[in-house]
Amino acid sequence: MSPIVSLMRVEIWSDVVCPWCFIGKRRFEKAVEVIRSKGYDEPIEIVYRAFQLDPTAPIGTPTPVVDAYAKKFGGQERAEQILTHVTKVAAEDDIEFNMNIALRANTVQAHRALHWSLMTHGPVVQAQYKESLLLAYFTNGLDVGDSDVLAECASSIGLHGPSLRTWLDTNEGMTDVLEDFDAAQARDIMAVPSFVIDNRFLSPGAQDVDVFVNVLERALTK
């Protein structure tokens, strides 16, 4: 009889317009690679959960991110300082941010689409789709609140975009998104990214790779 190998689940609460969520995603993936290089071969399932940085963002009305940041952080100069800093940090993790063309949008449709990818294709494909949405927003300046854009992102990774586009015209998946919001509140998750590892460890923020490695090793050895 083959030994039973326990599955470790990692749930990541994040938003597709959150710069630190993209940076944290890339760092966590590198940490998993380090763990594998150390000989840990336990299966790790990574699932992305919904969180909205700005649930009041109007639906169907994208805003240049510079304007959104200026409104939130007290002016154009401060907004540009923040965006310049986060762009530099992202570049250090091999991520291209073009914040001068980024469009801030309501992300509830994007979260529904992410649930669709998880429901229809599983967590590995969901992570790939998450990456495509992050690139759409941060690198390509696309409106991730637009259902056509969400479908095009699905097609770009080999999924059937028209099926997603039709599905988005329904109300399916909204309950799942709301449950993620409630679960974040129940766990006192007030900011993203937040990594819940094996339902035992909470690692908030885009930590350095070494920090993620340490948390993963603790979870895998206890």
Side-chain angles (χ1 to χ4, degrees):
M1 180 180 297
S2 299
I4 297 174
V5 179
S6 60
L7 172 72
M8 187 176 77
R9 168 174 277 206
V10 179
E11 295 176 282
I12 305 174
W13 270 264
S14 68
D15 200 357
V16 295
V17 297
C18 163
W20 294 106
C21 293
F22 199 173
I23 294 167
K25 177 180 185 293
R26 191 59 53 82
R27 291 176 179 177
F28 189 81
E29 289 168 345
K30 290 178 181 176
V32 172
E33 292 177 3
V34 172
I35 284 291
R36 295 304 186 209
S37 72
K38 291 187 172 187
Y40 293 95
D41 57 3
E42 291 84 350
I44 300 173
E45 179 182 80
I46 299 172
V47 175
Y48 286 91
R49 299 300 187 193
F51 189 99
Q52 280 192 292
L53 286 178
D54 184 9
T56 66
I59 295 175
T61 310
T63 303
V65 73
V66 176
D67 295 345
Y69 271 56
K71 182 179 179 180
K72 181 176 181 179
F73 295 108
Q76 190 88 4
E77 182 178 354
R78 179 58 180 152
E80 291 179 356
Q81 289 174 349
I82 294 171
L83 294 173
T84 297
H85 171 68
V86 77
T87 297
K88 180 180 179 181
V89 175
E92 293 170 356
D93 285 281
D94 299 319
I95 304 170
E96 181 183 2
F97 278 7
N98 294 313
M99 303 306 285
N100 58 312
I101 61 172
L103 295 171
R104 197 63 175 268
N106 189 293
T107 56
V108 70
Q109 286 288 81
H111 288 304
R112 287 182 60 221
L114 282 162
H115 269 286
W116 173 85
S117 68
L118 176 64
M119 175 184 65
T120 57
H121 295 87
V124 173
V125 171
Q126 188 202 34
Q128 295 170 354
Y129 185 53
K130 177 81 168 184
E131 182 86 7
S132 74
L133 295 183
L134 292 166
L135 289 170
Y137 174 74
F138 286 102
T139 306
N140 300 323
L142 300 178
D143 177 8
V144 293
D146 184 279
S147 294
D148 290 334
V149 170
L150 299 175
E152 290 166 6
C153 288
S155 296
S156 73
I157 63 166
L159 304 182
H160 194 255
S163 294
L164 171 58
R165 182 65 186 82
T166 299
W167 185 86
L168 286 170
D169 283 337
T170 72
N171 198 41
E172 291 187 59
M174 194 62 211
T175 298
D176 297 307
V177 171
L178 293 176
E179 287 177 354
D180 281 356
F181 294 164
D182 290 342
Q185 188 173 26
R187 294 177 181 272
D188 293 325
I189 293 173
M190 306 300 293
V192 288
S194 286
F195 300 76
V196 177
I197 300 171
D198 204 29
N199 206 32
R200 293 182 293 144
F201 301 93
L202 172 62
S203 182
Q207 304 289 345
D208 289 340
V209 173
D210 288 346
V211 175
F212 281 136
V213 169
N214 289 337
V215 176
L216 286 170
E217 285 188 310
R218 286 176 61 198
L220 288 167
T221 55
K222 291 185 178 181

